[in-house]
């Protein structure tokens, strides 16, 4: 997809246009606009004080690295000299893996599935064959591989490819049964073709089927073994262009493997049998076995088994050969897991796998097919995993995998990304996570050790957090574009396990994944961590290095939204904001009347969805649950899913909201401070003056009224009681979905509104839209709560789905000593601000335009040994270090909704700048981030645009149509962080990281690993004089003479089309147009020529040395036998 970059055009524009008259995404005028009610002076003064340093030159978008397991793998290849592994996928992607840190992702533009991969061993190149019948040659001698040549077959379908070691001629088998030959250097088809009818002649009456195997004989490179699907095997003499022998078997062939001496080969078949053939007697196999077949009593052949899809036959010098195969299990055990069988001598070992086997490869000590193979490991590619088995130990242990391929161990449901976080966090998290490492791995080094990688210039620590469907949370070290798991937290451990019989009670709410993590909030400085789960609960965690045995504190909160039967509450009896005297730890709703409506069955009321463990629980070092807060059923209706979450360690408060209302909890005193419907938050400040509604005749219990659906309820292949059209993050299919439908109905969509549908217009005339106003954003900060305040105070900013911003004042105890005993009072400030669309994010800038950090408590271990004195003072940091003196007499509040961004001057509440980001689409994510010691607003739009705006003036700096949102997984997992970094889940198993920083784009080449490193190809073993004399004529075989144009002629032009690629000059993109481009191309060509000349010199020297050795050896033999008679030999 083309990427449009409007950076330069937008750089001169500002976003400050008259309020209410802004076109979608454009701005006009250079002066700050004045909000009605403000003054020109107030709007103009800050503009002169703040020098914005960011320009469009600081921004550029590019993908950096992809982590995780390749989604839907189809093919596997290994370079035994370079020691790098390649995996092809159904979506046309290739992942190339080497030592940890060497991980490269490339993509075929066609998106066609990869059928087969073949390395040009130790040449720094790779051939891929795709389902669209195209062959591609990839150049791996650059950090970002690119295609050098492509060859598209027009009339035949590719089924199998084989590239002999140190050959430049690729054999290509087709569905019609023909074998073509391609020159790897020019990627042109040779005129030499082995037609199927010539290969089988009149030996069979029917077509032999597609070519399923091609390989040259280890003994003689001039002989090619061709396997056809129907069981026919042809041993073709390339020189004489005729078949030396033909063999037949009455079962379909799946794969063929040679013995290294080239006298025998083994075939695997569709009936679960292995046949061993000898070239001297091809009439029938000299050995047939069905390894997993039951032996019949009456002496008949064993019963058939499942097909053996692949077999490898590897020899050892000092032990029996290894026969390794996948499949072939007995039909009478239908529930057996997919297995890999290793036969070594008489011992048969069956390794059961967790997922179906896609492919496997045996890693051997030598790249030469005619030497003892000496296998040492087996790489097994599964549908959802990659394992490597150690063959050198009798119990076949697996190697510990250093790659982060278990991201999808449980489906990812949400992500958070933190760049430039405190440096002590990574070692601390690793130290508590390292204690849970598994045992029993092979003690040998990971065998896929190719490539080279260094740290690069980027040194700041980065952490990625992933939340999962099973309730687990994983912390990853993401520094320097690598990924390594640090620590895993299981949030489900705070709840009782649901017994099978009790499932009915909550079945209508959550069936499969009651603990799925929906939202996370982390304060790296205080190490407070908070999760919101799909079953309407919030857990507050504190970090400790000490194990502890303690009971888990829990609270229940009643949040309801009176939509059907509103009876206006009398203000005297139920004040919306209770005063300090009524701050009891009572969990009753404070949001109006307590009507009940009868419904069928037992009325559920004040019951949480899950049960918190009541007994003391052992908590290992790491994150330990401090408080569990659960929303409860209200009048027979389940609690609504949580749509926003914020925690503040300095205040000791956690706030969360849903489409019913807002709750604020004091997690230090373990009390509920506020539990209120959204409408009541306004008090007398409600700009819409909603009217009471007449009662409805009956409650609607349609599917859309249940927000509490488990994430696995959205698997399309499972029949659930509640049928929905949603696509879940846990779904493992990438089918596109209507974003507008998702936008209105998705339970975890980015605007955090749950199960009610509403028009996307900004009109609020509909009563249905008034009735459920979701809380979509929360933010604690030191701010001016009211107009004309002279000093900042503690506030909670609340954003709603209708674009309303409500500021709540927090009255905290004056001294730290009173914090545990005196109540915190939450009261309305009366301030209400408005934007178009659901509010997404808040931020605060000081009077100099510097981002103000939220207040936090410096971390201390709650269970440390020296904490005998519980009155130890908390160390609070109330504002960012950059503004450590006075914060000044004003500040800027940055608010971004799904439609527009506004910057207000506080305390005057003047709207200084406004920018209408989009009219036709909506934002999915917006974050205020730091870049190059400055600050900007980064936005990701549902139409695929990534935008950045300067702060505070909201000038557009970047607008690139980067990523079409094809499914909701991208929409729900996209997040920005500091230093120009972002990420999203590109598939159910992979995280894609990208950068929007020009500096990082420029430095990316230095940070990426090298796939190719100069390694000498090992020398072939000395074959001995007599073996060389009588062991076949393989060395004398000249493929060039046989397949070249002079002898074989040209292939038919209509058969295949050659397409040149861009891989050789990938690094010249920037200079492609001018003289510099020509010079660069010339230099690359010269380098390549020099490299080839160097290789030629080395080969010449090697041949001379070999000739001298042979001459010396021949002379010694002549002297030895010179005086002997013929009968003395």
């Amino acid at each position: 997809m083309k990427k449009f970059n409007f950076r330069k055009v937008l750089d001169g524009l500002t976003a400050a246009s008259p309020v209410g008259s802004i076109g979608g995404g454009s701005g006009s005028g250079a002066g700050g606009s004045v909000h009605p009610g403000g003054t020109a002076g107030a709007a103009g003064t800050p503009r002169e004080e703040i020098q914005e340093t960011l320009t469009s030159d600081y921004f550029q978008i590019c993908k950096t690295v992809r982590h995780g397991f390749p989604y839907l793998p189809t093919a596997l290849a290994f370079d035994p000299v370079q020691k790098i592994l390649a995996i092809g996928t159904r979506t046309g992607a290739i992942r190339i893996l080497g030592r940890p840190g060497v991980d490269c992702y490339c993509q075929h533009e066609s998106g066609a599935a990869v059928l087969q991969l073949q390395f040009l061993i130790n040449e720094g190149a790779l051939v891929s064959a795709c389902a669209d019948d195209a062959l591609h040659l990839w150049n791996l001698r650059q950090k970002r591989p690119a295609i050098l040549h492509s060859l598209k077959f027009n009339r035949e379908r590719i089924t199998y490819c084989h590239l002999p070691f140190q050959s430049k001629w690729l054999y290509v088998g087709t569905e019609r049964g023909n074998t073509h030959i391609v020159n790897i250097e020019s990627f042109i088809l040779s005129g030499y073709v082995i037609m199927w009818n010539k290969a089988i002649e009149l030996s069979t009456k029917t077509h032999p089927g597609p070519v399923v195997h091609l390989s040259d004989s280890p003994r003689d490179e001039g002989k090619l073994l061709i396997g056809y699907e129907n069981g026919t095997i042809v041993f073709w003499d390339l020189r004489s262009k005729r078949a030396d022998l033909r063999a037949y078997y009455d079962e379909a062939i799946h794969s063929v493997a040679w013995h290294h001496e080239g006298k025998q080969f083994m075939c695997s078949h569709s009936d679960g049998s292995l046949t061993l053939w000898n070239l001297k007697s091809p009439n029938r196999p000299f050995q047939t076995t069905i390894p997993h077949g039951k032996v019949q009593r009456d002496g008949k052949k064993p019963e058939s088994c499942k097909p053996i899809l692949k077999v490898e036959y590897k020899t050892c010098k000092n032990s029996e050969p290894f026969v390794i195969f996948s499949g072939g299990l007995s039909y009478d055990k239908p529930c057996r897991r997919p297995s890999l069988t290793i036969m070594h001598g008489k011992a048969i070992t069956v390794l059961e796998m967790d997922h179906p086997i896609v492919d496997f490869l045996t890693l051997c000590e030598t790249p030469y097919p005619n030497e003892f193979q000496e296998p040492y490991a087996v790489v097994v590619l599964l549908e959802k995993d990659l394992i490597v088995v150690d063959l050198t130990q009798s119990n076949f242990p697996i190697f510990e995998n250093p790659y982060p391929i278990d991201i999808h161990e449980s489906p990812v449901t949400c992500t958070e990304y933190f760049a430039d976080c405190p440096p002590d966090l990574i070692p601390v998290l690793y130290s508590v996570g390292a204690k849970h490492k598994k045992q029993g791995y092979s003690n040998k080094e990971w065998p896929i050790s190719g490539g080279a990688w260094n740290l690069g210039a980027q040194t700041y620590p980065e952490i990625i957090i992933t939340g999962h469907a099973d309730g687990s949370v994983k912390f990853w070290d993401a520094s320097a574009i690598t990924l390594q798991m640090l620590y895993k937290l299981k949030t489900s451990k705070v709840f009782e396990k649901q017994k099978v019989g009790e499932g009915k009670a909550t079945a209508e709410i959550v069936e499969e994944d009651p603990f799925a993590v929906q939202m996370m909030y982390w304060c790296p400085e205080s190490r407070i961590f908070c999760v919101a789960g799909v079953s309407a609960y919030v857990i507050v965690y504190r970090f400790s290095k000490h194990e502890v045995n303690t009971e888990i504190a829990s609270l229940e909160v009643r949040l309801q939204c009176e939509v059907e039967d509103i009876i206006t509450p009398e203000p005297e009896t139920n004040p919306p904001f209770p005063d300090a005297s009524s701050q009891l730890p009572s969990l009753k709703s404070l949001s109006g009347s307590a009507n009940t409506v009868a419904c069928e069955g037992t009325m559920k009321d004040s019951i949480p969805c899950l049960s918190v463990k009541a007994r003391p629980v052992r908590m290992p070092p790491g994150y330990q649950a401090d408080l569990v807060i659960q929303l409860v059923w209200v009048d027979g209706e389940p609690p609504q899913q949580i749509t926003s979450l914020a925690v503040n360690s300095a205040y000791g408060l956690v706030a969360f909201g849903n489409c019913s209302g807002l709750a604020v909890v004091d997690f230090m005193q373990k009390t509920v401070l506020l539990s209120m419907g959204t409408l009541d938050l306004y008090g007398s400040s409600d700009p819409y003056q909603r009217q009471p509604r007449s009662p409805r005749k009956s409650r609607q219990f349609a599917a859309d009224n249940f927000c509490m659906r488990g994430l696995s309820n959205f698997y399309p292949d499972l029949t659930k009681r509640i049928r929905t059209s949603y696509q879940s993050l846990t779904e493992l299919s990438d089918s596109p979905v209507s974003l507008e439908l998702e936008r209105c109905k998705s339970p975890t969509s980015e605007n955090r509104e749950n199960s009610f549908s509403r028009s996307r217009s900004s009109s609020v005339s509909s009563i249905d839209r008034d009735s459920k106003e979701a809380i979509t954003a929360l933010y604690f900060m030191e701010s001016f709560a009211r107009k004309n305040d002279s000093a900042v105070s503690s506030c909670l900013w609340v954003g709603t789905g209708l674009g309303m911003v409500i500021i709540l004042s927090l009255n905290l105890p004056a001294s730290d000593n009173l914090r545990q005993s005196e109540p915190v009072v939450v009261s309305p400030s009366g301030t209400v601000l408005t934007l178009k669309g659901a509010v997404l994010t808040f931020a605060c800038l000081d009077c100099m335009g510097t981002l103000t950090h939220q207040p936090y408590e410096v971390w201390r271990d709650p269970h440390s040994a020296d904490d005998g004195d519980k009155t130890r003072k908390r160390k609070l940091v109330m504002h960012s270090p950059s503004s450590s003196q006075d914060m000044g007499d004003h500040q800027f509040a940055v608010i971004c909704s799904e439609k527009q961004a506004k910057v207000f001057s506080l305390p005057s509440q003047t709207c200084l700048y406004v920018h209408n980001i989009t009219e036709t689409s909506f934002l999915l994510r917006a974050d205020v981030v730091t870049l190059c010691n400055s600050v900007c607003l980064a936005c990701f739009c549902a139409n695929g645009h990534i935008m950045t705006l300067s702060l505070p003036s909201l000038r557009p700096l970047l607008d690139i149509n980067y990523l079409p949102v094809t499914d909701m997984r991208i929409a729900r997992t996209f997040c920005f962080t500091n230093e120009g970094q972002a990420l999203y889940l590109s598939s159910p198993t992979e995280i894609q990281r990208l950068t929007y920083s020009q500096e990082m784009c420029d430095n990316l080449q230095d940070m990426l690993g090298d796939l190719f490193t100069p390694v000498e190809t090992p020398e072939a073993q000395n074959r001995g004089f007599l073996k060389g004399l009588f062991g076949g004529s393989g060395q004398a075989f000249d493929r060039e003479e046989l397949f070249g144009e002079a002898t074989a002629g040209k292939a038919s032009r209509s058969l295949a089309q050659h397409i040149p690629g861009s891989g050789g000059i990938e690094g010249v993109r920037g200079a492609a147009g001018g003289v510099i481009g020509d010079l660069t191309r010339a230099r690359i060509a010269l380098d390549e020529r020099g490299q080839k000349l160097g290789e030629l010199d080395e080969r010449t020297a090697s041949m001379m040395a070999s000739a001298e050795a042979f001459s010396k050896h021949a002379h010694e033999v002549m002297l030895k036998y010179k005086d002997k008679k013929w009968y003395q030999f």
Side-chain angles (χ1 to χ4, degrees):
M1 174 138 197
K2 287 186 180 177
K3 296 180 174 60
F4 299 97
N5 190 344
F6 304 117
R7 293 185 305 145
K8 304 294 178 188
V9 181
L10 292 168
D11 194 20
L13 301 178
T14 74
S17 302
V19 177
S21 62
I22 303 169
S26 67
S28 62
S33 65
V34 184
H35 191 278
T39 64
T45 308
R47 185 67 186 240
E48 292 157 17
E49 289 177 14
I50 296 169
Q51 289 293 316
E52 292 178 4
T53 56
L54 291 179
T55 65
S56 64
D57 294 328
Y58 284 80
F59 296 93
Q60 177 60 48
I61 295 266
C62 71
K63 290 180 180 178
T64 53
V65 68
R66 184 172 290 210
H67 302 297
F69 182 75
Y71 183 55
L72 301 174
T74 53
L76 186 65
F78 183 70
D79 185 324
V81 180
Q82 286 289 320
K83 296 196 183 301
I84 54 175
L85 186 81
I87 299 172
T89 75
R90 201 183 301 169
T91 57
I94 299 175
R95 283 283 286 286
I96 303 167
L97 303 167
R99 67 177 67 245
V102 177
D103 183 343
C104 178
Y105 166 83
C106 29
Q107 174 76 43
H108 292 93
E109 282 186 18
S110 66
V114 178
L115 298 179
Q116 202 178 343
L117 294 170
Q118 289 260 305
F119 276 104
L120 277 66
I121 294 173
N122 206 24
E123 295 287 341
L126 175 74
V127 174
S128 59
C130 295
D132 61 349
D133 306 306
L135 295 171
H136 306 277
L137 179 67
W138 293 83
N139 176 17
L140 307 184
R141 295 191 179 219
Q142 55 195 49
K143 295 196 174 185
R144 294 234 160 169
I147 292 173
L148 288 164
H149 300 283
S150 297
L151 190 67
K152 179 86 166 67
F153 280 72
N154 298 322
R155 296 192 312 221
E156 297 197 49
R157 309 221 64 184
I158 298 169
T159 54
Y160 194 86
C161 299
H162 170 64
L163 180 67
F165 179 46
Q166 292 181 327
S167 163
K168 68 172 185 177
W169 297 94
L170 174 76
Y171 301 115
V172 182
T174 69
E175 197 172 46
R176 288 189 185 177
N178 302 326
T179 303
H180 300 277
I181 300 166
V182 177
N183 184 320
I184 287 295
E185 289 178 354
S186 61
F187 238 59
I188 293 170
L189 213 54
S190 165
Y192 192 116
V193 185
I194 305 168
M195 305 299 285
W196 69 270
N197 51 351
K198 275 284 190 77
I200 65 166
E201 283 186 343
L202 300 174
S203 54
T204 57
K205 295 176 182 177
T206 57
H207 188 279
V211 174
V212 294
H213 178 82
L214 291 167
S215 60
D216 52 338
S217 163
R219 199 176 184 203
D220 184 354
E221 292 172 349
K223 305 283 176 71
L224 185 69
L225 189 73
I226 308 170
Y228 295 95
E229 190 179 64
N230 75 347
T232 302
I233 299 158
V234 173
F235 195 49
W236 183 264
D237 188 326
L238 291 162
R239 298 182 195 84
S240 61
K241 301 185 182 178
R242 62 181 179 82
D244 268 10
L245 62 87
R246 297 181 183 88
Y248 310 96
Y249 195 69
D250 53 5
E251 292 291 341
I253 292 174
H254 283 284
S255 72
V256 183
W258 279 102
H259 186 282
H260 82 274
E261 288 179 350
K263 297 174 185 175
Q264 299 173 0
F265 59 88
M266 184 179 284
C267 300
S268 71
H269 300 277
S270 55
D271 64 344
S273 65
L274 294 172
T275 55
L276 195 59
W277 300 77
N278 196 314
L279 292 181
K280 289 182 179 176
S281 53
N283 296 331
R284 59 190 178 88
F286 77 85
Q287 188 180 322
T288 304
T289 54
I290 302 183
H292 293 297
K294 283 187 178 176
V295 180
Q296 307 287 1
R297 287 183 181 175
D298 51 3
K300 291 180 185 174
K301 85 170 196 176
E303 62 183 40
S304 295
C305 292
K306 293 175 185 175
I308 293 178
L309 300 175
K310 183 175 182 179
V311 64
E312 296 217 331
Y313 186 20
K314 301 297 180 185
T315 52
C316 306
K317 201 166 191 175
N318 301 317
S319 70
E320 297 283 327
F322 280 90
V323 175
I324 303 166
F325 61 88
S326 61
L329 295 178
S330 172
Y331 280 109
D332 64 355
K333 294 181 180 175
C335 296
R336 278 191 74 171
R337 294 193 290 176
S339 299
L340 185 81
T341 305
I342 301 173
M343 299 167 64
H344 188 217
K346 292 182 179 177
I348 297 181
T349 306
V350 179
L351 304 176
E352 291 193 335
M353 305 293 166
D354 292 332
H355 309 285
I357 296 172
V358 175
D359 198 359
F360 73 90
L361 283 174
T362 311
L363 310 189
C364 300
E365 296 289 355
T366 175
Y368 294 94
N370 58 356
E371 297 177 357
F372 280 106
Q373 297 297 285
E374 305 295 349
Y376 60 88
V378 182
V379 179
V380 189
L381 178 64
L382 308 177
E383 272 188 9
K384 296 177 187 175
D385 203 358
L386 177 76
I387 66 166
V388 182
V389 181
D390 186 353
L391 292 179
T392 61
Q393 298 179 46
S394 57
N395 60 338
F396 303 130
I398 65 168
F399 290 87
E400 186 172 9
N401 197 320
Y403 309 134
I405 59 167
D406 58 346
I407 290 170
H408 63 289
E409 185 179 17
S410 170
V412 177
T413 53
C414 55
T415 56
E416 291 296 337
Y417 190 6
F418 299 86
D420 207 7
C421 46
D424 59 333
L425 276 174
I426 289 174
V428 161
L429 286 167
Y430 184 78
S431 67
V432 293
K435 291 167 186 169
H436 307 295
K437 294 279 183 189
K438 291 178 184 174
Q439 303 299 316
Y441 290 113
S442 169
N443 54 11
K444 291 210 161 69
E445 290 285 319
W446 179 251
I448 303 161
S449 56
W453 179 78
N454 54 12
L455 272 168
Q458 182 186 320
T459 53
Y460 52 82
E462 297 171 74
I463 290 176
I464 291 170
I465 309 177
T466 54
H468 300 263
D470 64 353
S472 60
V473 174
K474 292 180 180 176
F475 290 76
W476 306 83
D477 175 7
S479 309
I481 69 170
T482 61
L483 197 70
Q484 181 185 10
M485 196 168 85
L486 295 169
Y487 173 67
K488 182 178 178 179
L489 170 67
K490 294 179 180 175
T491 64
S492 59
K493 288 199 168 181
V494 305
F495 299 106
E496 297 285 2
K497 285 183 181 174
Q498 286 185 303
K499 292 175 184 171
V500 179
E502 294 173 357
K504 276 284 179 195
T506 54
E508 61 202 9
I509 309 166
V510 175
E511 289 187 11
E512 292 291 319
D513 300 312
F515 309 114
V517 177
Q518 200 173 1
M519 215 169 286
M520 302 178 293
Y521 193 101
W522 190 43
C523 175
E525 288 80 11
S526 64
R527 301 187 191 173
I528 292 278
F529 181 64
C530 198
V531 295
V534 76
S535 299
Y537 61 81
V538 169
I539 311 173
V540 181
Y541 286 92
R542 289 181 183 271
F543 188 85
S544 174
K545 294 180 181 178
H546 303 278
E547 185 176 310
V548 66
N549 254 333
T550 184
E551 286 191 10
I552 300 167
S554 65
L555 288 173
E556 291 175 4
V557 175
R558 188 181 174 92
L559 267 184
Q560 69 189 105
C561 183
E562 304 291 338
V563 289
E564 276 87 22
D565 305 288
I566 292 183
I567 298 171
T568 310
E570 294 185 19
E572 296 81 29
T573 54
N574 273 330
F577 286 89
D579 59 21
S581 63
S582 65
Q583 292 290 322
L584 302 171
S586 152
L587 305 179
K588 287 186 179 178
S589 167
L590 302 169
S591 62
S593 64
N595 301 342
T596 57
V597 177
C599 66
E600 292 174 14
T602 312
M603 172 72 76
K604 284 190 182 176
D605 195 51
S606 301
I607 303 167
C609 300
L610 301 169
S611 303
V612 178
K613 288 179 181 174
R615 62 187 182 280
V617 177
R618 184 188 77 84
M619 298 183 190
Y623 273 105
Q624 299 167 349
D626 189 50
L627 176 64
V628 180
I629 309 153
Q630 289 183 282
L631 293 179
V632 294
W633 285 66
V634 176
D635 301 338
E637 288 213 6
Q640 306 293 299
Q641 285 184 344
I642 291 162
T643 55
S644 55
L645 176 68
V647 191
N648 191 281
S649 55
Y651 302 161
L653 303 180
V654 55
F656 57 94
N658 60 12
C659 54
S660 297
L662 170 71
V664 181
V665 172
D666 182 340
F667 64 81
M668 293 179 72
Q669 294 187 30
K670 313 284 193 283
T671 56
V672 181
L673 302 178
L674 179 72
S675 166
M676 181 175 295
T678 314
L679 306 190
D680 298 313
L681 288 172
Y682 293 101
S684 59
S685 307
D686 186 357
Y688 295 119
Q689 297 303 318
R690 298 162 174 81
Q691 297 300 313
R693 303 185 59 193
S694 59
R696 287 187 184 174
K697 290 179 183 175
S698 65
R699 281 189 188 257
Q700 303 273 323
F701 277 94
D704 272 357
N705 280 354
F706 285 90
C707 286
M708 288 303 305
R709 299 188 184 94
L711 284 166
S712 61
N713 288 1
F714 315 120
Y715 284 95
D717 56 334
L718 299 177
T719 307
K720 301 288 183 185
R721 284 191 334 103
I722 302 168
R723 292 192 177 276
T724 72
S725 59
Y726 309 138
Q727 278 201 326
S728 160
L729 286 171
T730 62
E731 200 177 315
L732 289 184
S733 71
D734 263 351
S735 50
V737 67
S738 160
L739 209 60
E740 283 300 317
L741 170 75
E742 288 288 340
R743 191 65 183 73
C744 300
K745 301 184 80 173
S746 163
T748 50
S749 63
E750 282 295 321
N751 75 322
R752 316 286 199 254
E753 292 174 74
N754 284 28
S755 62
F756 64 101
S757 261
R758 65 180 179 91
S759 155
R760 301 312 310 157
S761 75
S762 58
S763 156
V764 278
S765 58
S766 159
I767 296 177
D768 279 331
R769 289 188 59 211
D770 295 357
S771 60
K772 281 189 173 182
E773 186 176 357
I775 306 293
T776 56
L778 294 165
Y779 191 73
F780 288 102
M781 64 171 144
E782 293 287 294
S783 179
F784 297 95
R786 298 169 186 82
K787 272 192 182 183
N788 307 319
D789 273 7
S790 57
V792 294
S793 58
S794 304
C795 297
L796 172 61
W797 288 59
V798 181
T800 77
L802 297 184
M804 311 304 295
V805 177
I806 305 158
I807 304 178
L808 303 181
S809 286
L810 309 173
N811 192 352
L812 297 157
S815 71
D816 192 47
N817 299 335
L818 301 172
R819 180 62 186 86
Q820 292 287 357
S821 55
E822 291 287 316
V824 176
V825 180
V826 183
S827 57
S829 66
T831 299
V832 177
L833 308 172
T834 60
L835 287 88
K836 274 167 44 180
V839 178
L840 293 181
T841 193
F842 298 105
C844 186
L845 309 181
D846 65 16
C847 58
M848 301 305 294
T850 308
L851 185 64
T852 306
H853 200 295
Q854 287 182 293
Y856 63 89
E857 176 190 355
V858 176
W859 177 77
R860 57 171 184 167
D861 199 321
H863 306 298
S864 63
D866 61 339
D867 198 14
D869 182 14
K870 282 289 177 189
T871 59
R872 190 171 57 153
K873 283 200 72 169
R874 298 162 71 222
K875 186 180 176 185
L876 305 182
V877 177
M878 296 308 283
H879 39 67
S880 61
S882 60
S883 52
S884 53
Q885 288 107 25
D886 189 22
M887 288 187 70
D889 56 355
H890 69 274
Q891 62 180 186
F892 301 101
V894 181
I895 310 171
C896 186
S897 76
E898 62 185 10
K899 293 285 187 184
Q900 66 177 187
K902 284 187 177 180
V903 175
F904 291 91
S905 176
L906 301 178
S908 67
Q909 295 176 16
T910 305
C911 179
L912 295 176
Y913 308 99
V914 60
H915 181 71
N916 280 5
I917 295 166
T918 176
E919 293 290 345
T920 55
S921 188
F922 52 90
L923 292 189
L924 295 163
R925 180 82 184 211
D927 291 294
V928 175
V929 292
T930 57
L931 177 71
C932 301
N933 299 318
S934 193
V935 63
C936 65
L937 175 65
C939 310
F940 176 53
C941 194
N943 62 15
H945 283 253
I946 291 177
M947 292 162 275
T948 58
L949 304 172
S950 71
L951 289 176
S953 68
L954 298 178
R955 280 181 304 112
L957 298 171
L958 172 79
D959 185 346
I960 288 185
N961 185 6
Y962 169 73
L963 181 74
V965 182
T966 51
D967 65 84
M968 287 309 297
R969 183 179 301 106
I970 296 170
R972 294 171 186 162
T973 57
F974 198 102
C975 50
F976 295 99
T977 187
N978 299 330
E979 306 303 333
Q981 306 243 47
L983 67 79
Y984 60 93
L985 214 67
S986 56
S987 75
T989 61
E990 295 166 289
I991 287 174
Q992 177 67 57
R993 288 164 69 179
L994 57 131
T995 181
Y996 49 96
S997 155
Q998 180 70 59
E999 184 185 7
M1000 188 164 177
C1001 287
D1002 294 341
N1003 296 331
L1004 189 58
Q1005 284 293 104
D1006 299 331
M1007 299 165 68
L1008 295 171
D1010 288 296
L1011 295 172
F1012 179 80
T1013 51
V1015 179
E1016 275 198 29
T1017 304
E1019 283 190 17
Q1021 291 174 7
N1022 190 349
R1023 302 180 70 201
F1025 176 68
L1026 294 175
K1027 263 196 177 176
L1029 205 58
F1030 304 111
S1033 53
Q1035 299 303 314
F1037 177 59
D1038 186 354
R1039 292 188 182 94
E1040 181 69 43
E1041 186 183 327
L1042 203 55
F1043 304 144
E1045 194 178 312
T1047 310
K1050 288 184 177 179
S1052 167
R1053 283 189 179 181
S1054 61
L1055 187 60
Q1057 176 190 357
H1058 176 258
I1059 304 160
S1062 60
I1065 51 168
E1066 187 220 27
V1068 203
R1069 272 184 200 155
V1075 180
I1076 302 169
D1078 295 334
L1079 287 171
T1080 316
R1081 280 191 288 273
R1083 185 178 56 76
I1084 288 175
L1086 203 61
D1087 286 349
E1088 287 176 356
R1089 187 173 171 227
Q1091 193 175 359
K1092 284 178 182 173
L1093 285 170
E1095 286 172 4
L1096 190 64
D1097 282 348
E1098 286 172 15
R1099 282 183 192 168
T1100 309
S1102 168
M1103 286 170 70
M1104 284 179 68
S1106 175
E1108 280 179 22
F1110 181 75
S1111 167
K1112 186 180 174 185
H1113 184 66
H1115 187 67
E1116 285 172 0
V1117 171
M1118 184 269 291
L1119 291 175
K1120 185 175 179 183
Y1121 296 107
K1122 184 173 67 169
D1123 298 324
K1124 293 193 177 182
K1125 305 290 183 187
W1126 64 269
Y1127 51 80
Q1128 291 175 313
F1129 277 84

